[in-house]
Amino acid sequence: MGRAEKEQLNKTLNSHLNTIHETLQVLDQSPASSLDKVSWEEVIKMGDQVSKQATMAGMLWTGETPEVKALEENMEAYFNILQGFLLLSHGSSVHAGPTLSSCIHKSTKQVVDSSFKLFMESVSSYGSHKKDQKLSIPQLVGSVWNSCSALKKTPSTNVTAIGRGMTQIAVSIKDVLREMKELKPGSSDPTDETYEEASNKAESEPQDDDNSCEDELGNDLSPEEMKVAQSAIGVVSETLVVIKDLIRTITGLLELENPNDCSNFVDCLEKLLKLCQGIGEQIDELGACLYPPQEVPAMKATSEKIFSIIDDMQVELENLKGPSEGFIQACNGLRSSLRLFESELGCPTTADLEAKMQNIALSS
Protein backbone atom coordinates (compact mmCIF):
# COMPACT_ATOMS: atom_id res chain seq x y z
CA MET A 1 0.00 0.00 0.00
CA GLY A 2 1.70 3.21 -1.16
CA ARG A 3 2.13 6.37 0.81
CA ALA A 4 0.51 8.34 -2.02
CA GLU A 5 -2.72 6.37 -1.67
CA LYS A 6 -2.91 7.01 2.08
CA GLU A 7 -2.24 10.72 1.54
CA GLN A 8 -5.04 10.78 -1.00
CA LEU A 9 -7.42 9.20 1.55
CA ASN A 10 -6.34 11.70 4.18
CA LYS A 11 -6.97 14.56 1.80
CA THR A 12 -10.43 13.24 0.91
CA LEU A 13 -11.35 12.70 4.56
CA ASN A 14 -10.14 16.17 5.60
CA SER A 15 -12.26 17.69 2.86
CA HIS A 16 -15.37 15.94 4.22
CA LEU A 17 -14.53 16.82 7.82
CA ASN A 18 -14.05 20.48 6.93
CA THR A 19 -17.42 20.53 5.17
CA ILE A 20 -19.13 19.12 8.26
CA HIS A 21 -17.34 21.62 10.50
CA GLU A 22 -18.48 24.48 8.26
CA THR A 23 -22.04 23.16 8.36
CA LEU A 24 -21.94 22.98 12.16
CA GLN A 25 -20.74 26.58 12.35
CA VAL A 26 -23.59 27.75 10.11
CA LEU A 27 -26.13 25.78 12.13
CA ASP A 28 -24.72 26.97 15.47
CA GLN A 29 -27.28 29.77 15.55
CA SER A 30 -30.89 29.14 16.57
CA PRO A 31 -33.14 28.63 13.53
CA ALA A 32 -35.57 31.39 12.59
CA SER A 33 -39.01 30.96 14.14
CA SER A 34 -40.54 31.48 10.68
CA LEU A 35 -39.11 28.15 9.48
CA ASP A 36 -41.20 24.98 9.49
CA LYS A 37 -40.34 22.70 12.37
CA VAL A 38 -38.95 19.30 11.41
CA SER A 39 -40.42 16.32 13.25
CA TRP A 40 -37.93 14.48 15.45
CA GLU A 41 -39.16 11.26 13.83
CA GLU A 42 -37.57 12.42 10.60
CA VAL A 43 -34.28 12.96 12.41
CA ILE A 44 -34.47 9.42 13.82
CA LYS A 45 -35.10 8.01 10.35
CA MET A 46 -32.08 9.85 8.96
CA GLY A 47 -30.09 8.55 11.91
CA ASP A 48 -31.04 5.03 10.83
CA GLN A 49 -29.55 5.81 7.40
CA VAL A 50 -26.33 6.99 9.05
CA SER A 51 -26.24 3.75 11.03
CA LYS A 52 -26.71 1.63 7.90
CA GLN A 53 -23.97 3.52 6.08
CA ALA A 54 -21.65 2.94 9.05
CA THR A 55 -22.36 -0.78 8.72
CA MET A 56 -21.33 -0.64 5.08
CA ALA A 57 -18.15 1.19 6.07
CA GLY A 58 -17.32 -1.57 8.52
CA MET A 59 -18.01 -4.33 6.01
CA LEU A 60 -15.26 -2.95 3.76
CA TRP A 61 -12.77 -4.12 6.37
CA THR A 62 -14.07 -7.68 6.84
CA GLY A 63 -11.52 -9.11 4.42
CA GLU A 64 -8.42 -7.74 2.81
CA THR A 65 -7.58 -4.04 2.89
CA PRO A 66 -10.20 -2.31 0.71
CA GLU A 67 -9.32 -0.34 -2.39
CA VAL A 68 -8.96 3.43 -2.19
CA LYS A 69 -11.82 3.99 -4.61
CA ALA A 70 -14.22 1.88 -2.51
CA LEU A 71 -13.23 3.77 0.65
CA GLU A 72 -13.67 7.16 -1.03
CA GLU A 73 -17.08 6.24 -2.45
CA ASN A 74 -18.24 5.01 0.95
CA MET A 75 -16.86 8.15 2.57
CA GLU A 76 -18.72 10.44 0.16
CA ALA A 77 -22.01 8.58 0.60
CA TYR A 78 -21.64 8.61 4.39
CA PHE A 79 -20.88 12.29 4.76
CA ASN A 80 -23.68 13.26 2.37
CA ILE A 81 -26.11 11.43 4.65
CA LEU A 82 -24.50 12.96 7.72
CA GLN A 83 -24.93 16.41 6.17
CA GLY A 84 -28.64 15.75 5.65
CA PHE A 85 -28.89 14.48 9.23
CA LEU A 86 -27.43 17.75 10.53
CA LEU A 87 -29.85 19.86 8.49
CA LEU A 88 -32.86 17.90 9.76
CA SER A 89 -31.59 18.05 13.33
CA HIS A 90 -31.25 21.82 13.05
CA GLY A 91 -34.78 22.08 11.67
CA SER A 92 -36.12 20.12 14.63
CA SER A 93 -34.88 22.84 17.00
CA VAL A 94 -37.31 25.46 15.63
CA HIS A 95 -39.23 26.91 18.64
CA ALA A 96 -37.03 24.86 20.98
CA GLY A 97 -36.11 26.42 24.31
CA PRO A 98 -32.56 26.27 25.74
CA THR A 99 -33.16 22.93 27.46
CA LEU A 100 -34.56 21.11 24.42
CA SER A 101 -31.93 22.72 22.16
CA SER A 102 -29.21 21.44 24.50
CA CYS A 103 -30.62 17.89 24.34
CA ILE A 104 -30.77 18.01 20.53
CA HIS A 105 -27.24 19.41 20.29
CA LYS A 106 -25.85 16.75 22.63
CA SER A 107 -27.42 13.87 20.68
CA THR A 108 -26.36 15.32 17.33
CA LYS A 109 -22.79 15.83 18.54
CA GLN A 110 -22.54 12.20 19.63
CA VAL A 111 -23.45 11.06 16.10
CA VAL A 112 -20.93 13.45 14.53
CA ASP A 113 -18.12 12.59 16.98
CA SER A 114 -18.56 8.83 16.57
CA SER A 115 -18.63 9.26 12.77
CA PHE A 116 -15.40 11.24 12.78
CA LYS A 117 -13.65 8.64 14.92
CA LEU A 118 -14.79 5.81 12.64
CA PHE A 119 -13.42 7.34 9.46
CA MET A 120 -10.24 8.72 11.02
CA GLU A 121 -9.46 5.22 12.24
CA SER A 122 -10.46 3.78 8.86
CA VAL A 123 -7.98 5.98 7.01
CA SER A 124 -5.33 5.39 9.69
CA SER A 125 -5.77 1.62 9.30
CA TYR A 126 -5.22 1.72 5.54
CA GLY A 127 -1.98 -0.06 4.73
CA SER A 128 -1.42 -0.99 8.36
CA HIS A 129 -0.37 -4.53 9.27
CA LYS A 130 -1.51 -4.15 12.89
CA LYS A 131 -4.43 -6.49 13.57
CA ASP A 132 -5.50 -4.53 16.67
CA GLN A 133 -6.01 -1.40 14.58
CA LYS A 134 -8.27 -3.17 12.10
CA LEU A 135 -10.19 -4.84 14.93
CA SER A 136 -11.02 -1.44 16.37
CA ILE A 137 -13.16 -0.54 13.34
CA PRO A 138 -16.11 -2.85 14.27
CA GLN A 139 -16.08 -1.28 17.75
CA LEU A 140 -16.24 2.21 16.25
CA VAL A 141 -19.09 1.13 13.97
CA GLY A 142 -20.86 -0.01 17.13
CA SER A 143 -20.32 3.44 18.64
CA VAL A 144 -22.09 5.00 15.65
CA TRP A 145 -24.96 2.52 16.08
CA ASN A 146 -25.26 3.46 19.76
CA SER A 147 -25.24 7.20 19.08
CA CYS A 148 -27.90 6.80 16.39
CA SER A 149 -29.99 4.54 18.61
CA ALA A 150 -29.78 7.13 21.41
CA LEU A 151 -31.71 9.55 19.18
CA LYS A 152 -34.85 7.57 20.03
CA LYS A 153 -34.41 8.51 23.69
CA THR A 154 -33.83 12.21 23.01
CA PRO A 155 -36.71 14.49 24.12
CA SER A 156 -38.68 15.74 21.14
CA THR A 157 -40.69 18.46 22.91
CA ASN A 158 -39.95 21.27 25.34
CA VAL A 159 -42.27 19.73 27.94
CA THR A 160 -40.45 16.38 27.80
CA ALA A 161 -37.01 18.01 27.99
CA ILE A 162 -38.01 20.23 30.93
CA GLY A 163 -39.67 17.31 32.72
CA ARG A 164 -36.53 15.22 32.32
CA GLY A 165 -34.41 18.05 33.71
CA MET A 166 -36.69 18.30 36.75
CA THR A 167 -36.52 14.54 37.25
CA GLN A 168 -32.71 14.72 37.41
CA ILE A 169 -33.01 17.39 40.11
CA ALA A 170 -35.43 15.17 42.05
CA VAL A 171 -32.92 12.30 41.89
CA SER A 172 -30.20 14.59 43.25
CA ILE A 173 -32.45 15.77 46.10
CA LYS A 174 -33.26 12.13 46.90
CA ASP A 175 -29.53 11.45 47.25
CA VAL A 176 -29.19 14.36 49.70
CA LEU A 177 -32.15 13.00 51.68
CA ARG A 178 -30.52 9.57 51.89
CA GLU A 179 -27.28 11.13 53.19
CA MET A 180 -29.22 13.16 55.76
CA LYS A 181 -30.89 10.02 57.09
CA GLU A 182 -27.44 8.52 57.68
CA LEU A 183 -26.58 11.25 60.21
CA LYS A 184 -26.26 9.82 63.72
CA PRO A 185 -26.06 11.34 67.21
CA GLY A 186 -22.87 11.29 69.22
CA SER A 187 -22.75 9.11 72.30
CA SER A 188 -23.90 10.82 75.52
CA ASP A 189 -23.96 7.68 77.70
CA PRO A 190 -21.57 8.13 80.68
CA THR A 191 -20.93 4.36 80.75
CA ASP A 192 -19.39 4.50 77.29
CA GLU A 193 -15.61 4.35 76.88
CA THR A 194 -13.62 7.43 77.84
CA TYR A 195 -11.70 9.60 75.42
CA GLU A 196 -8.43 7.99 76.55
CA GLU A 197 -9.83 4.48 76.08
CA ALA A 198 -11.15 5.37 72.66
CA SER A 199 -7.78 6.87 71.68
CA ASN A 200 -5.87 3.78 72.81
CA LYS A 201 -8.29 1.56 70.93
CA ALA A 202 -7.92 3.62 67.75
CA GLU A 203 -4.11 3.45 67.98
CA SER A 204 -4.11 -0.31 68.44
CA GLU A 205 -6.50 -1.03 65.56
CA PRO A 206 -5.16 -1.01 61.96
CA GLN A 207 -6.47 1.81 59.78
CA ASP A 208 -7.60 0.74 56.31
CA ASP A 209 -7.53 4.16 54.70
CA ASP A 210 -8.89 7.67 54.96
CA ASN A 211 -12.42 6.30 54.56
CA SER A 212 -12.51 5.60 58.31
CA CYS A 213 -12.65 9.35 58.92
CA GLU A 214 -15.33 9.79 56.30
CA ASP A 215 -17.42 6.98 57.83
CA GLU A 216 -17.46 8.79 61.19
CA LEU A 217 -18.33 12.17 59.64
CA GLY A 218 -21.74 13.26 60.84
CA ASN A 219 -21.94 10.58 63.55
CA ASP A 220 -21.30 12.95 66.46
CA LEU A 221 -24.28 15.31 66.42
CA SER A 222 -25.49 16.62 69.74
CA PRO A 223 -29.15 16.03 70.71
CA GLU A 224 -29.97 19.62 69.70
CA GLU A 225 -28.20 19.19 66.35
CA MET A 226 -30.06 15.93 65.74
CA LYS A 227 -33.38 17.75 66.26
CA VAL A 228 -32.33 20.26 63.61
CA ALA A 229 -31.25 17.43 61.31
CA GLN A 230 -34.57 15.60 61.75
CA SER A 231 -36.44 18.81 60.99
CA ALA A 232 -34.28 19.36 57.90
CA ILE A 233 -35.12 15.83 56.74
CA GLY A 234 -38.77 16.84 56.88
CA VAL A 235 -38.02 19.89 54.71
CA VAL A 236 -36.19 17.83 52.10
CA SER A 237 -38.91 15.16 52.07
CA GLU A 238 -41.59 17.81 51.48
CA THR A 239 -39.41 19.41 48.79
CA LEU A 240 -39.36 16.10 46.94
CA VAL A 241 -43.16 15.99 47.07
CA VAL A 242 -43.31 19.50 45.57
CA ILE A 243 -40.90 18.59 42.73
CA LYS A 244 -42.77 15.37 41.93
CA ASP A 245 -46.11 17.20 41.84
CA LEU A 246 -44.57 19.86 39.62
CA ILE A 247 -43.31 17.18 37.21
CA ARG A 248 -46.81 15.66 37.06
CA THR A 249 -48.28 19.10 36.38
CA ILE A 250 -45.72 19.85 33.64
CA THR A 251 -46.26 16.48 31.98
CA GLY A 252 -49.98 17.20 31.88
CA LEU A 253 -49.25 20.33 29.83
CA LEU A 254 -47.89 18.34 26.87
CA GLU A 255 -51.08 18.80 24.88
CA LEU A 256 -50.87 22.57 25.31
CA GLU A 257 -47.50 22.83 23.56
CA ASN A 258 -47.97 24.30 20.10
CA PRO A 259 -44.98 23.43 17.86
CA ASN A 260 -45.54 26.58 15.77
CA ASP A 261 -46.15 29.21 18.46
CA CYS A 262 -45.02 28.57 22.03
CA SER A 263 -42.53 31.28 22.98
CA ASN A 264 -44.35 32.41 26.17
CA PHE A 265 -45.18 28.82 27.04
CA VAL A 266 -41.55 27.74 26.73
CA ASP A 267 -40.32 30.77 28.69
CA CYS A 268 -42.52 29.79 31.63
CA LEU A 269 -41.29 26.19 31.48
CA GLU A 270 -37.66 27.32 31.43
CA LYS A 271 -38.27 29.61 34.43
CA LEU A 272 -39.83 26.71 36.34
CA LEU A 273 -36.81 24.53 35.58
CA LYS A 274 -34.49 27.29 36.74
CA LEU A 275 -36.49 27.59 39.98
CA CYS A 276 -36.18 23.81 40.44
CA GLN A 277 -32.44 24.10 39.95
CA GLY A 278 -32.41 26.84 42.56
CA ILE A 279 -34.24 24.63 45.04
CA GLY A 280 -31.79 21.81 44.29
CA GLU A 281 -28.87 24.12 45.08
CA GLN A 282 -30.47 25.17 48.37
CA ILE A 283 -31.07 21.55 49.37
CA ASP A 284 -27.39 20.78 48.65
CA GLU A 285 -26.43 23.75 50.82
CA LEU A 286 -28.77 22.62 53.58
CA GLY A 287 -27.29 19.12 53.57
CA ALA A 288 -23.77 20.50 53.87
CA CYS A 289 -24.74 22.78 56.78
CA LEU A 290 -26.02 19.90 58.91
CA TYR A 291 -22.58 18.46 59.63
CA PRO A 292 -21.08 19.73 62.88
CA PRO A 293 -20.54 22.46 63.63
CA GLN A 294 -23.92 23.31 62.15
CA GLU A 295 -24.16 26.67 60.40
CA VAL A 296 -27.39 28.18 61.71
CA PRO A 297 -27.27 31.52 59.81
CA ALA A 298 -26.64 29.70 56.52
CA MET A 299 -29.52 27.27 57.18
CA LYS A 300 -31.84 30.18 58.01
CA ALA A 301 -30.86 31.89 54.73
CA THR A 302 -31.48 28.64 52.85
CA SER A 303 -34.95 28.32 54.37
CA GLU A 304 -35.85 31.87 53.35
CA LYS A 305 -34.69 31.23 49.78
CA ILE A 306 -36.79 28.07 49.51
CA PHE A 307 -39.82 30.02 50.78
CA SER A 308 -39.24 32.56 48.01
CA ILE A 309 -38.71 29.94 45.31
CA ILE A 310 -41.95 28.05 45.95
CA ASP A 311 -43.86 31.36 45.84
CA ASP A 312 -42.29 32.08 42.46
CA MET A 313 -43.14 28.56 41.27
CA GLN A 314 -46.83 29.09 41.97
CA VAL A 315 -46.74 32.40 40.09
CA GLU A 316 -45.17 30.79 37.01
CA LEU A 317 -47.64 27.90 37.05
CA GLU A 318 -50.45 30.43 37.25
CA ASN A 319 -49.10 31.98 34.05
CA LEU A 320 -49.27 28.60 32.33
CA LYS A 321 -52.47 26.90 33.34
CA GLY A 322 -52.80 27.35 37.06
CA PRO A 323 -51.32 25.10 39.78
CA SER A 324 -53.14 21.88 40.58
CA GLU A 325 -54.73 21.32 43.97
CA GLY A 326 -52.11 18.67 44.69
CA PHE A 327 -49.27 21.08 43.93
CA ILE A 328 -50.76 23.79 46.16
CA GLN A 329 -51.10 21.27 49.02
CA ALA A 330 -47.51 20.13 48.48
CA CYS A 331 -46.27 23.73 48.65
CA ASN A 332 -48.24 24.35 51.83
CA GLY A 333 -46.77 21.20 53.34
CA LEU A 334 -43.27 22.42 52.51
CA ARG A 335 -44.00 25.83 54.03
CA SER A 336 -45.14 24.15 57.27
CA SER A 337 -41.94 22.09 57.37
CA LEU A 338 -39.85 25.21 56.80
CA ARG A 339 -41.57 27.03 59.67
CA LEU A 340 -40.93 24.06 61.98
CA PHE A 341 -37.32 23.95 60.79
CA GLU A 342 -36.82 27.65 61.52
CA SER A 343 -38.27 27.23 64.99
CA GLU A 344 -35.81 24.39 65.67
CA LEU A 345 -33.03 26.76 64.64
CA GLY A 346 -34.20 29.17 67.35
CA CYS A 347 -34.91 31.85 64.77
CA PRO A 348 -38.12 33.81 64.33
CA THR A 349 -40.10 32.18 61.55
CA THR A 350 -41.19 33.96 58.41
CA ALA A 351 -44.75 33.94 59.74
CA ASP A 352 -43.57 35.52 63.00
CA LEU A 353 -41.78 38.29 61.12
CA GLU A 354 -44.85 38.96 58.97
CA ALA A 355 -47.07 39.18 62.07
CA LYS A 356 -44.58 41.52 63.72
CA MET A 357 -44.55 43.78 60.66
CA GLN A 358 -48.36 43.88 60.64
CA ASN A 359 -48.41 44.88 64.33
CA ILE A 360 -45.93 47.66 63.66
CA ALA A 361 -48.03 48.89 60.77
CA LEU A 362 -51.21 48.85 62.90
CA SER A 363 -49.56 50.64 65.83
CA SER A 364 -48.25 53.38 63.56
Side-chain angles (χ1 to χ4, degrees):
M1 304 298 174
R3 181 181 298 176
E5 291 174 317
K6 191 161 188 173
E7 288 179 355
Q8 180 183 339
L9 282 174
N10 269 313
K11 184 178 179 180
T12 302
L13 176 60
N14 286 333
S15 175
H16 288 302
L17 296 183
N18 289 336
T19 300
I20 295 298
H21 279 303
E22 290 170 2
T23 302
L24 289 172
Q25 288 178 354
V26 172
L27 301 181
D28 194 42
Q29 303 297 322
S30 298
S33 58
S34 58
L35 296 175
D36 290 334
K37 184 178 177 66
V38 174
S39 166
W40 188 249
E41 289 299 320
E42 293 185 46
V43 179
I44 293 174
K45 288 178 182 178
M46 185 60 79
D48 289 340
Q49 294 302 313
V50 172
S51 185
K52 289 177 183 178
Q53 199 63 34
T55 303
M56 294 177 67
M59 289 176 65
L60 291 175
W61 293 91
T62 54
E64 298 294 326
T65 300
E67 296 181 359
V68 172
K69 184 179 180 181
L71 287 172
E72 287 184 326
E73 288 176 350
N74 176 264
M75 218 181 285
E76 182 175 1
Y78 189 99
F79 283 101
N80 282 339
I81 293 174
L82 186 62
Q83 183 95 339
F85 167 79
L86 290 176
L87 293 172
L88 287 178
S89 177
H90 185 65
S92 72
S93 62
V94 174
H95 298 302
T99 303
L100 178 57
S101 293
S102 176
C103 293
I104 292 173
H105 175 76
K106 182 179 178 181
S107 295
T108 301
K109 189 176 184 299
Q110 287 176 342
V111 175
V112 172
D113 289 348
S114 60
S115 297
F116 279 16
K117 289 178 182 177
L118 169 61
F119 282 93
M120 289 171 71
E121 183 68 13
S122 179
V123 171
S124 176
S125 298
Y126 185 81
S128 174
H129 298 290
K130 296 179 181 178
K131 291 184 178 181
D132 290 346
Q133 196 166 19
K134 292 182 180 180
L135 289 173
S136 66
I137 291 178
Q139 295 176 349
L140 293 172
V141 170
S143 295
V144 175
W145 290 347
N146 291 337
S147 61
C148 291
S149 179
L151 296 171
K152 298 173 184 177
K153 299 178 181 179
T154 302
S156 58
T157 67
N158 288 288
V159 168
T160 307
I162 295 289
R164 188 170 296 182
M166 291 178 177
T167 300
Q168 291 171 349
I169 294 167
V171 170
S172 177
I173 291 175
K174 196 171 182 179
D175 288 340
V176 174
L177 179 61
R178 176 182 52 79
E179 291 174 4
M180 284 183 172
K181 289 181 177 179
E182 292 174 356
L183 293 170
K184 297 177 182 178
S187 175
S188 58
D189 190 339
T191 63
D192 284 351
E193 61 187 1
T194 65
Y195 173 79
E196 184 178 356
E197 290 171 339
S199 298
N200 292 334
K201 182 179 178 182
E203 290 176 2
S204 62
E205 291 180 352
Q207 299 295 320
D208 292 335
D209 49 34
D210 292 340
N211 290 337
S212 59
C213 294
E214 294 177 4
D215 291 340
E216 295 302 318
L217 186 63
N219 288 356
D220 53 353
L221 270 65
S222 68
E224 293 76 14
E225 287 173 332
M226 272 306 298
K227 287 181 180 179
V228 171
Q230 291 297 329
S231 184
I233 288 172
V235 168
V236 178
S237 297
E238 291 297 333
T239 301
L240 262 180
V241 175
V242 169
I243 300 295
K244 289 177 180 179
D245 264 297
L246 180 60
I247 293 171
R248 277 194 288 268
T249 302
I250 294 300
T251 304
L253 298 175
L254 186 60
E255 60 186 18
L256 296 181
E257 183 171 353
N258 183 351
N260 298 317
D261 182 22
C262 55
S263 56
N264 292 333
F265 180 81
V266 175
D267 286 345
C268 287
L269 289 178
E270 293 288 350
K271 287 176 183 176
L272 282 168
L273 177 58
K274 192 170 182 179
L275 289 169
C276 275
Q277 291 167 342
I279 260 194
E281 291 170 1
Q282 295 309 313
I283 294 300
D284 286 341
E285 177 71 17
L286 179 59
C289 290
L290 289 177
Y291 292 97
Q294 291 181 344
E295 303 171 37
V296 174
M299 288 191 283
K300 179 65 168 63
T302 295
S303 178
E304 290 174 352
K305 288 176 182 177
I306 295 175
F307 259 115
S308 177
I309 290 172
I310 57 177
D311 288 343
D312 291 342
M313 278 184 173
Q314 287 193 241
V315 171
E316 287 302 328
L317 269 183
E318 195 67 45
N319 292 335
L320 278 174
K321 187 182 179 182
S324 66
E325 187 65 30
F327 180 75
I328 293 173
Q329 290 178 0
C331 287
N332 289 337
L334 176 53
R335 290 188 182 98
S336 297
S337 292
L338 286 168
R339 293 188 188 100
L340 179 61
F341 177 61
E342 290 182 358
S343 68
E344 288 291 349
L345 293 176
C347 304
T349 67
T350 303
D352 293 336
L353 292 174
E354 289 175 353
K356 188 174 181 180
M357 291 298 292
Q358 287 178 354
N359 291 335
I360 294 173
L362 289 173
S363 61
S364 60

